[in-house]
């Protein structure tokens, strides 16, 4: 898991070609002016989902992880807390659904919970369970971009 701000996006280049495309996109795109929807960056390899969800109390949020895609969750507007912990420390509550690229985990009372503010982001790798959309105080509508980055094998260009 990586937690940082937009000013440091380029520090994470070189991990993979797909991740580089995603980081370049986040650096140059005017996300605040984008409507909710899917935005192609490189077909199904790298794409952005702009969303305007409402945050919820922590007990209403779920731990999840993905195998095919790395998530970059970038906050455009509002405030969100997101939980993290390693998948190996968790028990599966719903088996991996390959069509939706998602697996859910049982609550275990642990984790790291950073607060996202506009311009901050997290990168969630397949070994990172994450629990998004947690509110502090009253639930509020936020705007975020989730850039889905297809995992590449170490031999991929």
């Amino acid at each position: 898991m990586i937690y940082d701000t937009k000013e440091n996006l380029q520090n994470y280049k070189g991990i993979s070609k797909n991740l580089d495309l995603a980081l370049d996109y986040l650096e140059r795109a005017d996300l605040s002016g984008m409507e909710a929807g899917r935005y192609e960056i490189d077909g199904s390899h790298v794409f952005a989902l702009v969303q305007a969800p409402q945050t919820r109390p922590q007990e209403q949020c779920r731990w999840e992880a993905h195998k095919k895609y790395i998530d970059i969750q970038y906050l455009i507007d509002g405030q969100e807390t997101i939980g993290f912990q390693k998948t190996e420390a968790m028990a599966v509550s719903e088996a991996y659904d390959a069509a939706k690229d998602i697996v859910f985990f049982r609550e275990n009372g642990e984790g790291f919970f950073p607060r996202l503010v506009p311009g901050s982001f997290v990168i969630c790798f397949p070994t990172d369970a994450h629990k998004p959309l947690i509110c502090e105080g009253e639930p509020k509508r936020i705007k975020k971009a989730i850039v889905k980055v297809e995992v590449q094998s170490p031999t991929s260009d």
Side-chain angles (χ1 to χ4, degrees):
M1 184 274 297
I2 294 170
Y3 168 62
D4 211 333
T5 58
K6 183 176 183 175
E7 295 79 26
N8 297 318
L9 280 168
Q10 295 303 315
N11 291 345
Y12 305 102
K13 288 191 81 170
I15 295 172
S16 76
K17 181 186 100 177
N18 286 346
L19 188 59
D20 289 354
L21 288 171
L23 296 171
D24 287 342
Y25 178 82
L26 285 170
E27 190 170 56
R28 72 176 190 285
D30 177 14
L31 299 170
S32 63
M34 298 172 96
E35 297 293 324
R38 180 179 167 135
Y39 295 86
E40 300 293 325
I41 300 168
D42 185 22
S44 64
H45 303 292
V46 184
F47 58 92
L49 302 171
V50 175
Q51 302 175 341
Q54 185 157 316
T55 59
R56 303 183 294 264
Q58 184 172 336
E59 61 274 5
Q60 294 177 18
C61 299
R62 298 173 73 185
W63 289 102
E64 63 183 61
H66 314 285
K67 293 183 180 183
K68 184 177 179 184
Y69 289 96
I70 296 165
D71 268 9
I72 303 176
Q73 299 208 12
Y74 180 93
L75 195 64
I76 301 166
D77 188 45
Q79 182 176 295
E80 169 189 15
T81 297
I82 184 167
F84 290 96
Q85 60 180 299
K86 291 296 179 190
T87 56
E88 64 194 31
M90 305 190 77
V92 172
S93 65
E94 287 183 33
Y96 178 70
D97 181 333
K100 295 179 180 176
D101 186 39
I102 197 162
V103 59
F104 291 102
F105 298 93
R106 287 189 182 86
E107 180 65 52
N108 68 2
E110 297 181 20
F112 168 61
F113 293 85
R115 178 185 305 147
L116 295 180
V117 296
S120 62
F121 66 92
V122 293
I123 301 176
C124 310
F125 295 93
T127 57
D128 299 321
H130 49 286
K131 188 178 193 180
L133 299 174
I134 301 170
C135 65
E136 291 186 20
E138 291 297 313
K140 293 197 177 5
R141 182 117 359 241
I142 63 171
K143 184 174 184 183
K144 68 191 296 184
I146 301 172
V147 182
K148 304 296 273 185
V149 179
E150 186 176 42
V151 173
Q152 293 174 282
S153 69
T155 59
S156 296
D157 291 24

